[in-house]
Amino acid sequence: MTRIDNEIQMALKAYGGDIQKALKDNHRLDYFYALSDQRELLLEWYDFEPEARLLQVGADYGAMTGLYRSEAGQVTVLDGRQGAFGTGGLRFPSAGKIHYVQKSLEEYAAEAAAM
């Protein structure tokens, strides 16, 4: 599946962040993949610790970030790609529990080991 980050971000802006309306008006599977909250069901069963600090490797379209944000105390989204956080930032514009870090996993691990 090709990445359609810019298109998804333009749709979210056009619909004022209303994901349900964006999905209703765009029936393409790649929109459903990127925006549907159905992906959260993958880990809905997991009992997250409310004060847990969670590291999400790869920003993707923010589908799982929403689940992590609501279940864990803090979420760090790690991605080395330029512009990787655009969709997640539009989905969760005022989520103080989410921190975005633009680094590779290797860079992040090296910094953590040095602390």
Side-chain angles (χ1 to χ4, degrees):
M1 191 172 277
T2 61
R3 295 202 59 87
I4 57 169
D5 298 50
N6 291 339
E7 191 174 334
I8 294 293
Q9 290 170 26
M10 287 188 331
L12 286 173
K13 289 175 186 174
Y15 291 102
D18 188 337
I19 292 172
Q20 296 309 315
K21 185 154 177 49
L23 286 172
K24 182 180 177 205
D25 292 348
N26 297 284
H27 300 282
R28 293 175 25 199
L29 285 178
D30 47 2
Y31 271 73
F32 185 75
Y33 172 80
L35 298 175
S36 174
D37 60 359
Q38 295 296 306
R39 290 174 58 193
E40 292 183 8
L41 297 175
L42 291 169
L43 290 175
E44 177 189 50
W45 55 270
Y46 188 79
D47 189 22
F48 290 91
E49 294 289 328
E51 299 302 316
R53 295 175 57 200
L54 190 138
L55 175 64
Q56 176 182 335
V57 179
D60 200 28
Y61 297 105
M64 296 303 291
T65 309
L67 171 70
Y68 301 147
R69 172 190 61 134
S70 64
E71 298 294 326
Q74 177 184 339
V75 179
T76 300
V77 181
L78 178 67
D79 201 310
R81 294 177 300 118
Q82 184 73 16
F85 308 119
T87 305
L90 288 169
R91 289 182 81 163
F92 312 108
S94 59
K97 295 170 69 174
I98 302 173
H99 304 281
Y100 297 100
V101 178
Q102 185 177 346
K103 292 183 181 173
S104 70
L105 181 58
E106 292 80 16
E107 292 170 320
Y108 188 80
E111 285 184 12
M115 294 178 141

